[in-house]
Amino acid sequence: AVETDDGGSSVSRLAVFLNEMFLLLLDMLRSRRVPMDRSLTSTQRTVQLFWQSLRENVEHLALEWTVQRMAKECGLGVTRFTHCTRELANMTPGQCLNHYRLEAAQQMLVIRPDLTVTQVALACGFGSGQYFSSLFRTAHGVTPARYRESMREGSDRNHGRSSF
């Protein structure tokens, strides 16, 4: 295959090297007993990594998630996914999703003063600014606009330190 690659694209050469690497890896695994680390392959670990990924990527939070879609993303059934989420976060998947969206929105309200409250809500995956404001007020005791204003006032007073 390498010799017939007249164009010099190196694709064939790369395929040969990869095959050789996989054969060497297979030989190594056959010659040694490699213990399986269950903590790296558990269902709970899969769900934990899923939530961690959502939490770290606002773009992912903004997607239209259903419990079925989240479970499918983890390769699990809805019941198992819900059970693991409850064990990890003591919340339902919907509550957990809203919790992480609220966290992201709280940060965005402070670092993106150029965005309206509705724009922040939509960027974090909420269907409307009104729904977001209602959840935010329940969670934090103030409206998103008042929270943003308080953070700005605290920052002005403390030269960069927030009052919350």
Side-chain angles (χ1 to χ4, degrees), residues 20-47:
E20 185 177 348
M21 182 188 73
F22 287 133
L23 287 172
L24 290 171
L25 180 62
L26 181 62
D27 287 343
M28 183 184 76
L29 291 173
R30 284 182 178 163
S31 67
R32 299 182 190 153
R33 181 153 180 88
V34 180
M36 187 167 106
D37 185 347
R38 295 227 179 258
S39 68
L40 298 176
T41 61
S42 72
T43 301
Q44 193 164 2
R45 178 78 173 139
T46 301
V47 174

Side-chain angles (χ1 to χ4, degrees), residues 127-142:
S128 73
Q130 186 176 6
Y131 178 62
F132 163 66
S133 292
S134 175
L135 285 179
F136 193 93
R137 185 177 193 135
T138 300
H140 299 289
V142 294

